Amino acid sequence: MTIELRILSGSRAGQRERFDKSLVTVGRHPLSDLRFDPDADLDVSTRHAELREADGAWTVFDQQSTNGTFVNGERVATHRRLLSGDTLGFGENGPTVEVHLADAPRATVASGAAAAAPPRRDTNQRIAEAVQLETASLKRMFALALGALIVIAAVAGGLWQRRASSREAELLALIARSESASVPLARTVAAMQARDSQFSRLLAERDSSLQREMQAGRTMIAGRPSSASMARLSERVTQETRLRQAITLMDFPRVHDLNDPAVAMIVSDLDGTFVAATAFSVSSAGLLVTNRHIVRTPSGQAPRRIRVLFANTTEWRPARLVRVSDDDDLALLQMEEGAPFPVVAGVSRAGRDTRVGSPVATIGYPHAVDTPMEGAGLDVRARTTTTAGTVSKRLTDVLQIDSYAGKGSSGSPVFDVRGHVVGVVYGGEAASGGRIVYAVPAERLASFLTSAGAGSVLR
């Protein structure tokens, strides 16, 4: 029985297909009998359905398609009998076809009186003819198979070329978006120059390095790069573009001005080993937050002494350890003289502005006095370093940041777009060269401060 399929909608609307065989495959696969456009008819699966004829009846079988097969608007569970006039839909919003069934023309047999009996042939002749027919059949099958392989290879090559061209176009568009973010980034660098020349210098150097990489990337794309090379460049540009866009969303000068005076450099004497780190003030009476590992020896002993130097000052002041957290790398110090002290703008209770991808700023003393400052050795005027970053992961007990930290960054406050503390730096991924930074999240810091009776700074 012949089946005719009249395409009512989709990219092939208005076309007809007629089949005189018992199995008709439907899908976007290049070898489908009823093939739909692989780019336009996206509701159709690669191998969507089969139409099968048995004993003069046609049945549609869904091939576990993604969007389903429908007969007259009703979804087919596994299979369903077809009648002339039925409407087949491939996907609820995909192309539709109208089914028309007709008896195929059948060969007629002449009556015995009119038909002449064929002459009888000898056995050798009949064997030779059978061998010839079989050989011809095998040749046709081989030719068809070879033709199919050539078609498949051509289609696969075309698809690969299309995908490669698409990846190249996407990467070029990504590079263009990253380059367009350079203008607002330059404004941020200029605005921070007077406040934190180290921040401006590092950001400008990083931007210049990325510009060179992107120019090299454009040249590489023109030369037909490998998939691995394109993937590496795409990952690098994506990460830097995200950082650039995040920086333009954050008012770094304002965050710096609100909090810089309250960030201090500390030196802890742990049985003769001097450890430099960062702390920040959470009360005008001189209560400071830092890391537990800065003020505890490996055996758990308290430091012999602690000295504190607030930002933009030259006087080292004494402080003492008053509390450590049992669960997190947090500790509280109390200044012993010099009140009142500057205080950070606030500590976030829940860190609601630290979703993955959110911009953050870290203010601290990476590499302590080894960074450029006025003076030499410990006789310096403390100058903080501001670092831009983005939140890359958020766990119950860890806030992960794509930023920069180094020796001396421990205890540095992490600020959100409001200028509130949302984390306390305590370490990083060693293999990342300081680019992946770990911090105690805001919620755990807020709980620690509340238990210590220092909740007035919470926002």
Side-chain angles (χ1 to χ4, degrees):
M1 178 180 288
T2 302
I3 186 169
E4 183 179 277
L5 302 174
R6 301 175 184 177
I7 304 175
L8 305 177
S9 63
S11 64
R12 298 186 57 190
Q15 299 180 22
R16 298 186 181 190
E17 291 274 10
R18 188 180 181 90
F19 302 97
D20 292 310
K21 57 182 184 175
S22 59
L23 174 63
V24 177
T25 59
V26 181
R28 292 188 293 131
H29 192 277
L31 297 182
S32 296
D33 297 311
L34 180 61
R35 184 191 176 203
F36 289 95
D37 192 293
D39 297 318
D41 299 313
L42 297 179
D43 285 305
V44 182
S45 296
T46 304
R47 291 180 172 84
H48 196 106
E50 290 183 355
L51 309 182
R52 305 175 192 172
E53 187 263 343
D55 299 326
W58 282 91
T59 305
V60 60
F61 290 79
D62 183 81
Q63 298 297 295
Q64 297 182 338
S65 62
T66 302
N67 298 309
T69 303
F70 298 78
V71 176
N72 300 328
E74 296 180 6
R75 187 162 184 161
V76 174
T78 55
H79 62 278
R80 179 164 169 173
R81 174 81 176 273
L82 293 177
L83 301 174
S84 280
D86 283 346
T87 299
L88 267 174
F90 304 106
E92 189 171 6
N93 299 307
T96 57
V97 302
E98 190 176 82
V99 177
H100 289 270
L101 307 177
D103 288 328
R106 300 184 183 275
T108 57
V109 181
S111 64
R120 186 174 184 82
R121 296 168 295 168
D122 63 42
T123 301
N124 290 335
Q125 184 181 4
R126 285 186 282 113
I127 291 174
E129 290 179 356
V131 169
Q132 186 177 7
L133 287 173
E134 185 66 24
T135 302
S137 177
L138 288 173
K139 288 180 178 179
R140 285 196 300 272
M141 289 177 63
F142 179 77
L144 287 173
L146 182 61
L149 286 175
I150 293 173
V151 169
I152 291 172
V155 170
L159 291 174
W160 181 88
Q161 183 64 36
R162 181 182 297 176
R163 284 196 297 270
S165 300
S166 176
R167 286 196 299 269
E168 292 167 3
E170 289 173 1
L171 184 51
L172 286 172
L174 181 61
I175 290 175
R177 285 198 300 273
S178 185
E179 289 173 338
S180 68
S182 291
V183 175
L185 180 65
R187 289 197 293 265
T188 299
V189 170
M192 284 293 291
Q193 180 63 43
R195 295 172 171 84
D196 189 339
S197 59
Q198 183 80 346
F199 172 89
S200 296
R201 182 180 66 80
L202 291 175
L203 207 58
E205 288 178 356
R206 188 167 179 170
D207 181 60
S208 178
S209 174
L210 182 63
Q211 291 283 11
R212 290 193 296 272
E213 283 188 52
M214 289 191 294
Q215 184 57 46
R218 289 181 180 276
T219 304
M220 180 184 73
I221 292 171
R224 298 290 177 153
S226 67
S227 297
S229 298
M230 288 187 61
R232 286 193 296 271
L233 178 61
S234 179
E235 182 180 0
R236 166 78 170 138
V237 175
T238 298
Q239 181 181 6
E240 291 299 325
T241 301
R242 187 164 55 241
L243 177 60
R244 286 179 169 200
Q245 293 171 339
I247 289 174
T248 62
L249 296 174
M250 190 163 186
D251 189 346
F252 280 90
R254 176 178 174 274
V255 172
H256 177 276
D257 293 346
L258 283 173
N259 296 286
D260 183 65
V263 181
M265 184 190 305
I266 67 171
V267 174
S268 177
D269 179 0
L270 300 178
D271 287 340
T273 300
F274 291 87
V275 179
T278 303
F280 58 96
S281 174
V282 292
S283 79
S284 59
L287 194 64
L288 277 67
V289 174
T290 189
N291 288 144
R292 179 180 58 199
H293 75 265
I294 298 301
V295 292
R296 284 290 194 196
T297 66
S299 61
Q301 297 299 311
R304 294 176 180 176
R305 58 180 175 168
I306 302 172
R307 293 294 181 267
V308 179
L309 180 65
F310 275 84
N312 310 308
T313 70
T314 58
E315 183 179 359
W316 289 91
R317 299 176 184 272
R320 68 180 187 278
L321 175 64
V322 295
R323 190 183 185 98
V324 295
S325 170
D326 294 329
D327 303 315
D328 300 296
D329 198 348
L330 296 172
L332 285 177
L333 310 179
Q334 177 60 58
M335 297 298 298
E336 295 184 340
E337 60 182 47
F341 294 93
V343 181
V344 292
V347 174
S348 175
R349 292 180 183 274
R352 60 182 178 275
D353 288 322
T354 53
R355 294 183 295 274
V356 172
S358 299
V360 291
T362 303
I363 302 178
Y365 297 90
H367 306 292
V369 294
D370 292 335
T371 56
M373 293 190 188
E374 298 173 14
L378 294 178
D379 186 17
V380 297
R381 180 179 296 276
R383 297 294 189 189
T384 62
T385 295
T386 304
T387 308
T390 56
V391 176
S392 56
K393 185 183 294 184
R394 203 176 191 285
L395 305 176
T396 304
D397 57 349
V398 178
L399 184 69
Q400 181 176 305
I401 304 165
D402 287 346
S403 180
Y404 179 76
K407 186 177 180 180
S409 295
S410 293
S412 297
V414 181
F415 298 97
D416 63 12
V417 292
R418 302 167 185 262
H420 294 160
V421 178
V422 291
V424 181
V425 173
Y426 68 84
E429 175 59 49
S432 72
R435 294 295 182 187
I436 297 178
V437 181
Y438 300 145
V440 179
E443 302 94 313
R444 301 181 78 91
L445 173 59
S447 176
F448 178 58
L449 292 176
T450 299
S451 67
S456 60
V457 74
L458 300 179
R459 302 290 183 266

